[in-house]
Amino acid sequence: MTNDPYRAIEELGLKLPTPTSPKGSYVPMRLQGNIAYLSGALPIDPEGALYAPGVVGNTVSESEAAKAAQLCALNLIARLHSDLGSLTKVKNWIKLTGFVASTATFTQQPLVINGASDFIVQVFGETGRHARSAVGVSSLPLGSSVEVEAIVEVDL
């Protein structure tokens, strides 16, 4: 495990994407003191397409949704890099909230959101450990199967 998030991302064979622009009347990240509140990120792939749209337990498998959650986390990290100027300013991941568009009988939302949680710990080590909620919902923006938001402590 490296303490360098950029190196960790590279070692995982990934690259930071360019953050997407907001699709509504909100800001993607809001700083309040040394706390960054990140708006929900969708699983937008490097080509700009929504990865694994649909409903988990119906048209999207649990493993596809976990990969979508990882992609949401990568997009949150890209937002931090873009808005802070460097990931070295990330001090602690405080909380993630993960939303999973799922059928009424699907109950494995925590396993889906592990895709985001595990990835953040892979990239940031112990400072990536966080509190979390994993919530099932009937639908998400743009037909996404997963959305993840975060609260992060930063050094300014």
Side-chain angles (χ1 to χ4, degrees):
M1 174 66 61
T2 178
N3 289 328
D4 179 354
Y6 295 105
R7 185 170 174 200
I9 291 167
E10 183 179 313
E11 288 174 355
L12 291 167
L14 301 171
K15 292 182 181 181
L16 284 179
T18 301
T20 59
S21 298
K23 304 288 187 255
S25 298
Y26 67 93
V27 294
M29 187 178 93
R30 175 82 174 179
L31 283 173
Q32 183 66 40
N34 67 334
I35 304 296
Y37 294 85
L38 290 112
S39 296
L42 299 180
I44 304 299
D45 70 20
E47 289 77 40
L50 183 65
Y51 175 80
V55 177
V56 183
N58 184 5
T59 58
V60 178
S61 71
E62 185 180 312
S63 63
E64 289 172 316
K67 184 175 177 185
Q70 177 183 330
L71 192 49
C72 290
L74 181 64
N75 288 325
L76 289 171
I77 293 167
R79 173 58 59 196
L80 285 166
H81 167 77
S82 175
D83 288 13
L84 297 174
S86 176
L87 294 177
T88 61
K89 294 181 179 179
V90 173
K91 188 172 179 184
N92 285 299
W93 287 76
I94 297 170
K95 183 163 187 202
L96 287 186
T97 304
F99 303 93
V100 181
S102 51
T103 64
T105 58
F106 184 81
T107 60
Q108 299 303 311
Q109 290 85 359
L111 296 179
V112 168
I113 302 304
N114 279 349
S117 293
D118 293 346
F119 179 69
I120 290 168
V121 172
Q122 283 181 296
V123 172
F124 289 92
E126 284 302 308
T127 63
R129 295 205 179 277
H130 51 268
R132 189 184 83 185
S133 297
V135 182
V137 297
S138 62
S139 67
L140 288 168
L142 306 177
S144 183
S145 57
V146 181
E147 180 175 5
V148 180
E149 64 181 28
I151 301 172
V152 180
E153 182 183 15
V154 298
D155 279 329
L156 298 176

